[in-house]
């Protein structure tokens, strides 16, 4: 049974700092790994999707990496801004399109 | 292009009642998935519909059901509500043509259900 864990549960950083969010999964037989952002009381916004054959994906100040053999993914945010404050969720996708989500990292970027 | 639309945004019900939530996917998307989000359990998969057929199902009791219409709009129904059903219910759509395809999911803003 796939289990997804995210560390840390919460993170507070000053504006401008580079930061890394961690995601680990127990079953390496994934089809993809996705990162989402959730603002309070809102739905999820897809940030990056890494296919199982890929090692990383980049979008603007965001870079996500995937290491299937070790069961880990990281989300790197460069030059953080107050607008980046949100909960970040990773999710492992398998053969059935069902996503298994981690519990999220609550990020606060202080101006 | 309009995003995923969920109605209603908020809902208050009492124990024992039933509720129906609605989801309109992005135009052209034929796959609709439902997730339950609670502070204690996080996000959990309920079910996925594709072309009016339930393709995948999570580990929820039979009180939770859904359906999809020919225009890809989907509804989920919860019967005999319990206090523990209080949650944010999220709908997501995708253009996934077949299982295991790597496509992004687009989520709606959710329906916040409170059971009193």
């Amino acid at each position: 049974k796939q289990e997804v864990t995210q560390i840390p549960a919460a993170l507070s950083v000053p504006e401008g700092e580079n930061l890394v969010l961690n995601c680990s999964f127990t079953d390496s037989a994934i089809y993809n790994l996705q990162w989402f952002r959730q603002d309070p009381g809102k739905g999820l916004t897809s940030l990056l999707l890494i296919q199982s054959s890929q090692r990383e994906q980049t979008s603007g100040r965001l870079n996500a990496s995937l290491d299937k053999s070790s069961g880990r993914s990281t989300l790197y945010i460069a030059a953080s801004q107050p607008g980046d404050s949100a909960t970040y969720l990773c999710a492992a996708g398998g053969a059935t399109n069902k996503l298994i989500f981690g519990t999220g990292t609550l990020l606060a970027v202080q101006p | 292009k309009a995003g995923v639309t969920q109605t209603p945004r908020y809902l208050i019900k009492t124990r024992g009642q039933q509720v129906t939530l609605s989801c309109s996917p992005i135009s052209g998307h034929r796959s609709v998935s439902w997730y339950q989000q609670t502070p204690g359990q996080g996000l959990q998969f309920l079910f996925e519909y594709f072309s009016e057929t339930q393709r995948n199902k999570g580990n929820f009791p039979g009180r939770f059901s859904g359906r999809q219409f020919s225009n890809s709009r989907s509804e989920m129904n919860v019967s005999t509500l319990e206090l523990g059903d209080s949650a944010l219910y999220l709908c997501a759509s995708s253009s996934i043509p077949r299982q295991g395809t790597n496509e992004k999911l687009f989520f709606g803003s959710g329906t916040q259900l409170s059971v009193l």
Side-chain angles (χ1 to χ4, degrees):
Chain A
K1 178 187 171 187
Q2 179 72 273
E3 292 183 3
V4 181
T5 306
Q6 290 187 247
I7 295 173
L11 183 63
S12 181
V13 300
E15 182 177 2
E17 191 162 299
N18 302 326
L19 58 102
V20 175
L21 307 182
N22 296 293
C23 172
S24 60
F25 46 94
T26 56
D27 186 353
S28 61
I30 61 171
Y31 276 57
N32 58 65
L33 193 292
Q34 300 187 44
W35 283 92
F36 295 87
R37 166 187 172 140
Q38 185 174 31
D39 293 285
K42 300 287 182 63
L44 278 64
T45 300
S46 180
L47 297 173
L48 290 165
L49 182 153
I50 311 175
Q51 299 184 18
S52 60
S53 59
Q54 297 177 320
R55 296 285 297 200
E56 65 178 326
Q57 281 285 337
T58 299
S59 176
R61 294 181 295 107
L62 305 179
N63 175 277
S65 67
L66 174 64
D67 184 344
K68 282 182 59 178
S69 61
S70 66
R72 293 182 182 179
S73 176
T74 61
L75 179 66
Y76 175 82
I77 302 177
S80 58
Q81 304 171 356
D84 294 331
S85 298
T87 296
Y88 290 81
L89 295 143
C90 68
T96 61
N97 293 335
K98 176 176 75 171
L99 292 181
I100 305 299
F101 282 87
T103 49
T105 294
L106 177 61
L107 173 65
V109 181
Q110 308 298 331
Chain B
K1 205 173 196 181
V4 178
T5 304
Q6 291 188 247
T7 57
R9 184 71 180 89
Y10 300 96
L11 207 49
I12 299 175
K13 292 286 187 179
T14 57
R15 279 182 300 174
Q17 288 186 309
Q18 74 167 16
V19 66
T20 299
L21 312 182
S22 180
C23 172
S24 294
I26 291 173
S27 177
H29 285 188
R30 293 164 63 191
S31 169
V32 174
S33 301
W34 289 88
Y35 288 81
Q36 181 197 64
Q37 186 176 33
T38 60
Q41 299 297 318
L43 273 152
Q44 292 184 289
F45 174 80
L46 281 157
F47 28 64
E48 181 209 8
Y49 285 87
F50 181 82
S51 292
E52 302 179 62
T53 301
Q54 186 181 86
R55 192 158 64 172
N56 294 293
K57 190 177 188 302
N59 297 323
F60 279 81
R63 300 186 297 107
F64 292 81
S65 63
R67 59 178 176 170
Q68 186 179 34
F69 301 95
S70 58
N71 61 358
S72 293
R73 190 177 70 86
S74 177
E75 290 181 345
M76 69 162 280
N77 183 277
V78 188
S79 62
T80 320
L81 284 166
E82 300 177 0
L83 295 179
D85 297 334
S86 295
L88 178 65
Y89 289 88
L90 292 164
C91 164
S93 77
S94 172
S95 61
I96 299 173
R98 55 184 169 83
Q99 299 203 58
T101 306
N102 298 306
E103 296 284 347
K104 284 186 179 181
L105 287 186
F106 294 85
F107 281 81
S109 296
T111 294
Q112 184 66 55
L113 172 65
S114 297
V115 182
L116 306 178

